[in-house]
Amino acid sequence: MIRKGEYTIYNGKEYRFIESDSVEAIELISNDKKDMENGFTYYKKNIYTKIVGVSEVKEFYSIHPYAVYKGEVFPASEERNTGKVLLATTNTELAKRMGFERADKYMYSKSVEWDEVEIIEERKPYSLD
């Protein structure tokens, strides 16, 4: 699974979150049904949420996923249909050399198997503003 978005630590466990309408609260997002035992409520298929106070969580950070493929680093995501890793670049020469296909006017992409890449995550502090 490739993680992307904003994350925080709540009760020793990492959760994705979104900012809520209240400045003092955030909404945690879980895919673990067991979290319902800890006050999460069912949202929809395999998604559970809980609103908590900002003071109840530790650190906020953004995760941006990248994949190392044949010695080059690319932004990465997971294809919903195939489950493969989707690589992207706007560098035309690099795309041609690596066998990428044009996805739109300026973007090239390529689907690869998980064992062809090393996934790395860039973490940056996130500020609630």
Side-chain angles (χ1 to χ4, degrees), residues 58-129:
K58 295 181 181 177
E59 72 179 308
F60 298 102
Y61 49 93
S62 291
I63 295 178
H64 301 278
Y66 295 92
V68 179
Y69 175 69
K70 296 185 178 179
E72 300 287 345
V73 178
F74 299 95
S77 60
E78 187 172 344
E79 282 190 316
R80 292 183 192 268
N81 296 338
T82 65
K84 292 183 177 183
V85 180
L86 181 64
L87 309 177
T89 185
T90 56
N91 182 324
T92 305
E93 292 304 315
L94 181 60
K96 287 179 182 177
R97 187 166 32 108
M98 295 287 199
F100 282 46
E101 294 181 10
R102 185 177 225 143
D104 65 28
K105 188 173 182 179
Y106 300 107
M107 185 64 68
Y108 298 86
S109 65
K110 182 174 187 172
S111 295
V112 297
E113 299 293 339
W114 286 89
D115 61 0
E116 295 181 78
V117 297
E118 175 190 352
I119 302 299
I120 53 177
E121 294 179 344
E122 176 184 68
R123 290 179 181 225
K124 291 185 176 180
Y126 182 84
S127 177
L128 298 175
D129 289 333

Side-chain angles (χ1 to χ4, degrees), residues 2 7 9 32 36 47 55 58 66 68 80 95 106 124:
I2 294 180
Y7 287 79
I9 305 297
D32 186 354
M36 289 183 70
I47 299 173
S55 62
K58 295 181 181 177
Y66 295 92
V68 179
R80 292 183 192 268
Y106 300 107
K124 291 185 176 180

Side-chain angles (χ1 to χ4, degrees), residues 10 34-42 48-52:
Y10 174 72
K34 292 179 185 174
D35 281 328
M36 289 183 70
E37 298 169 8
N38 298 316
F40 281 71
T41 57
Y42 176 82
Y48 308 90
T49 63
K50 180 177 183 176
I51 295 177
V52 298

